[in-house]
Amino acid sequence: MTLDPVHVDGIAKLAGQVGATVESSDQGAAAEEVWANFLDPLYDTDGREILTPLGEQRRRKVPVADIALEEPPFPTQHGLDSGTINPTTFKNGLVLDVAQAAMSATPSDVDLHRGRTIIMAVHSNDTTLRFDGDWRADDRGYARRRVLDAPQVDRFEQRVVHALALYLAESEHALLNADAVEDLFVLDGPIYPTGLLRWADRDTELAEVLAEDDRPKSVVGNYVELVERFVERDVPLVGFVKNASRKPLTRAVRKKTNAPWTSDTAFFRHVLERRDDDGERRDDALTCTNWFRSRAGTDGTMAADGDALGIERTLSSELYEVTFFVCYDPRTDLVFRVEAPYAFTKDPDRRERLTRQILHDVAAERGPPLAIAKADELASIDRQGSEELTRRIEREFDVDRDSSYDDHRWGAVEETF
């Protein structure tokens, strides 16, 4: 049953009431205060330095047309992404997710694009069952696949199989094809598996699994090895985060002053947005911050004083630290976070080249770099494909998925991880 017009009008009036209250809170002014007074450096309540500018803290703007037409600093790029069917529970008690990872090249490389790494992560509460398998080849050797036995948990089974399948597929495919990258490697997402590292903050059971089980540690270890491989080859590695939902900066600032925004992304949008005298957003230029070195939130795991989950690191520990800058595209009103290990951003000239490359790509593509867009298209599993694959798995199991009334009424509900 739909809402009657009178109810829509009433709800709109409630929204107007809330909006008037928000108007009285000048979030832009609060963001300016934080930008000016709290980030050089930003300390946590225990006195630990969690955010430090690399070089001068400043905001920059560059005309969209100019940067889009500029010769890119890196002549070739490779991108990598992984996609999943989303976690599914079956009536035989199994919970699984399937992920595939793919790498793109710009200019294109058809053989590289054909390659896939496929992981099926499976969870069962039956301790007598074991699913781990060896790597198997498919598609004339272009694809490889394996089954991963997920750690046993009493809750969060779907979160566990999703994170392990997604990040193991991505990291294994990246390591397998690392030598194909010549100039610049761009991950679709952060440079470390934050969805997995967040287990430490989500629940005590997940934190114990992350700290004690070798399977999630080995996945994180793949990303550590990836950084080391690219440092050894002197080829920059960056992560392009399209949907950053982080809050560590906001949480730290909220303990010191008013921080009315809901996430770090909202804060940086206020800092980077430009408006004219009439209050209209100006969209003639991209804006960005300087690079920061971060030890906030999950970034602290790979900080110089972090434990890296006990994973052995062969380089100086500070070289693994997360650094980032934030880019804002006013044409789409989107904020992007661009990450790189400190090993690649400690040099000011390389920082500048990486910044201009990303700004060039965002301006030209009106969004993520082309290498990322291509990798996303190669790796994504659309709803139709996911449904077909799930039906095939049902036939192989000879059992249906475990559905609920909401699944019957609305269709499968996708959980956010």
Side-chain angles (χ1 to χ4, degrees):
M1 184 176 182
T2 59
L3 289 169
D4 289 334
V6 63
H7 301 144
V8 174
D9 289 342
I11 293 170
K13 290 177 181 177
L14 290 177
Q17 178 182 336
V18 172
T21 304
V22 173
E23 281 287 327
S24 65
S25 170
D26 193 342
Q27 298 189 17
E32 287 293 335
E33 179 191 0
V34 170
W35 174 261
N37 301 315
F38 288 91
L39 304 186
D40 189 13
L42 176 64
Y43 294 96
D44 208 346
T45 52
D46 60 2
R48 182 170 182 258
E49 192 176 288
I50 60 173
L51 199 72
T52 310
L54 293 180
E56 180 187 1
Q57 180 185 330
R58 58 175 178 152
R59 286 171 285 194
R60 303 171 63 181
K61 64 181 178 70
V62 57
V64 172
D66 291 353
I67 194 69
L69 296 174
E70 188 176 281
E71 188 71 23
F74 297 89
T76 67
Q77 284 188 46
H78 288 71
L80 188 135
D81 192 18
S82 59
T84 79
I85 66 170
N86 286 314
T88 306
T89 303
F90 294 87
K91 291 180 179 178
N92 58 7
L94 298 183
V95 183
L96 64 83
D97 201 355
V98 178
Q100 72 162 348
M103 182 180 281
S104 72
T106 305
S108 293
D109 180 336
V110 176
D111 284 342
L112 183 71
H113 291 179
R114 184 173 172 179
R116 295 289 188 278
T117 296
I118 301 169
I119 300 291
M120 176 184 286
V122 184
H123 177 277
S124 173
N125 283 322
D126 187 341
T127 58
T128 65
L129 299 179
R130 290 292 181 268
F131 304 105
D132 272 342
D134 297 328
W135 287 104
R136 296 178 181 271
D138 270 332
D139 189 22
R140 300 181 180 180
Y142 282 96
R144 59 178 188 153
R145 55 182 169 85
R146 64 165 289 200
V147 176
L148 176 69
D149 192 11
Q152 289 188 331
V153 290
D154 292 328
R155 298 181 297 156
F156 307 112
E157 300 93 341
Q158 292 195 346
R159 179 167 288 141
V160 167
V161 297
H162 178 77
L164 289 178
L166 184 77
Y167 292 120
L168 183 59
E170 178 180 84
S171 58
E172 287 285 344
H173 202 67
L175 288 170
L176 180 67
N177 295 283
D179 291 342
V181 182
E182 299 174 356
D183 297 306
L184 177 64
F185 186 36
V186 189
L187 289 174
D188 189 345
I191 58 174
Y192 297 115
T194 54
L196 196 155
L197 294 175
R198 285 191 187 121
W199 289 4
D201 301 324
R202 289 285 175 89
D203 179 82
T204 54
E205 183 182 21
L206 288 178
E208 289 176 3
V209 171
L210 183 61
E212 300 174 6
D213 197 287
D214 288 338
R215 284 161 288 191
K217 280 186 180 180
S218 68
V219 175
V220 180
N222 279 353
Y223 287 86
V224 172
E225 182 182 350
L226 194 65
V227 172
E228 292 167 352
R229 288 272 296 276
F230 278 87
V231 170
E232 180 182 359
R233 299 183 61 233
D234 197 30
V235 175
L237 159 70
V238 302
F240 190 90
V241 186
K242 296 178 291 189
N243 299 297
S245 57
R246 300 168 53 90
K247 297 185 179 183
L249 183 155
T250 302
R251 291 194 185 105
V253 169
R254 190 171 287 139
K255 297 170 184 176
K256 306 171 185 293
T257 187
N258 179 40
W261 45 89
T262 58
S263 68
D264 296 357
T265 296
F267 162 72
F268 282 114
R269 179 178 281 107
H270 282 298
V271 167
L272 294 174
E273 188 180 52
R274 300 159 54 243
R275 292 188 177 272
D276 60 24
D277 294 339
D278 297 324
E280 297 296 322
R281 185 168 63 240
R282 302 180 62 179
D283 62 0
D284 58 321
L286 301 183
T287 53
C288 69
T289 68
N290 56 282
W291 287 82
F292 290 92
R293 181 154 56 173
S294 173
R295 297 173 177 175
T298 56
D299 295 343
T301 305
M302 292 299 166
D305 59 354
D307 64 359
L309 302 180
I311 297 166
E312 182 181 357
R313 293 178 283 185
T314 62
L315 306 173
S316 173
S317 58
E318 69 172 6
L319 298 181
Y320 299 86
E321 290 194 315
V322 176
T323 65
F324 74 93
F325 81 95
V326 176
C327 169
Y328 174 66
D329 187 345
R331 299 169 298 175
T332 54
D333 193 29
L334 292 177
V335 175
F336 304 115
R337 173 179 161 117
V338 182
E339 298 184 354
Y342 180 61
F344 298 119
T345 57
K346 59 188 178 69
D347 177 68
D349 290 338
R350 179 170 272 176
R351 281 203 306 271
E352 177 65 16
R353 292 177 66 216
L354 289 171
T355 302
R356 298 199 73 83
Q357 179 69 56
I358 295 299
L359 292 175
H360 163 82
D361 292 344
V362 170
E365 300 299 325
R366 201 180 178 91
L370 180 59
I372 286 297
K374 291 167 69 172
D376 179 76
E377 183 177 352
L378 291 169
S380 64
I381 305 174
D382 61 20
R383 183 178 292 274
Q384 181 179 351
S386 177
E387 185 63 28
E388 180 182 352
L389 184 54
T390 302
R391 286 196 298 268
R392 288 289 303 272
I393 294 171
E394 286 178 321
R395 290 200 292 271
E396 293 291 333
F397 283 168
D398 194 24
V399 67
D400 295 334
R401 76 194 82 178
D402 191 10
S403 59
S404 67
Y405 175 74
D406 282 344
D407 295 330
H408 174 73
R409 185 179 184 189
W410 305 111
V413 179
E414 296 183 7
E415 184 174 351
T416 299
F417 297 90

